[in-house]
Amino acid sequence: MENKEKAEILKIERSIGYILRIGVIVSATIILIGMILLFFQPSTAQAPNSLPLIFQGLMRLDGQAFIMLGLFCLILTPVLRVVVSIFAFAKEKDYLYVAITIIVLVILIIGMSLGLVEK
């Protein structure tokens, strides 16, 4: 393998690592904001369980809505990693792994969609 190819692979791996780190940091920050809001404004209402309810709660500065958004971001972080991997494998011209990763992404999307329908 050439040095240029190794450098390109290392660049892609770093990008994926950054995505995971940033996703976790953003999620933790949003959850922390929600916990602070809950401390100052305790709520006995049920936590929002759909995106429209979460966004409505964010407008009201509902701590539970912020926590749910943070969890949603945390769940989406590995999905974003799968999407970036598709482009990385395509750039490397590794089409078998592009196909496999697309299948994984479709399974993730179907699973999340079923989870939204089954609530």
Side-chain angles (χ1 to χ4, degrees), residues 30-102:
I30 294 170
I31 291 170
L32 182 62
I33 291 168
M35 291 173 69
I36 291 169
L37 288 171
L38 271 179
F39 180 74
F40 290 110
Q41 300 172 354
S43 174
T44 57
Q46 182 179 356
N49 58 1
S50 68
L51 283 178
L53 291 176
I54 290 172
F55 289 124
Q56 289 172 10
L58 292 174
M59 296 301 170
R60 294 187 319 266
L61 295 178
D62 178 20
Q64 290 182 2
F66 276 84
I67 292 171
M68 294 302 288
L69 178 65
L71 292 174
F72 184 69
C73 289
L74 189 62
I75 290 169
L76 285 182
T77 299
V79 176
L80 182 58
R81 185 234 188 268
V82 171
V83 171
V84 170
S85 294
I86 292 170
F87 292 106
F89 290 133
K91 192 169 187 174
E92 293 176 17
K93 297 183 183 355
D94 195 343
Y95 300 113
L96 174 63
Y97 280 104
V98 169
I100 291 170
T101 310
I102 288 173

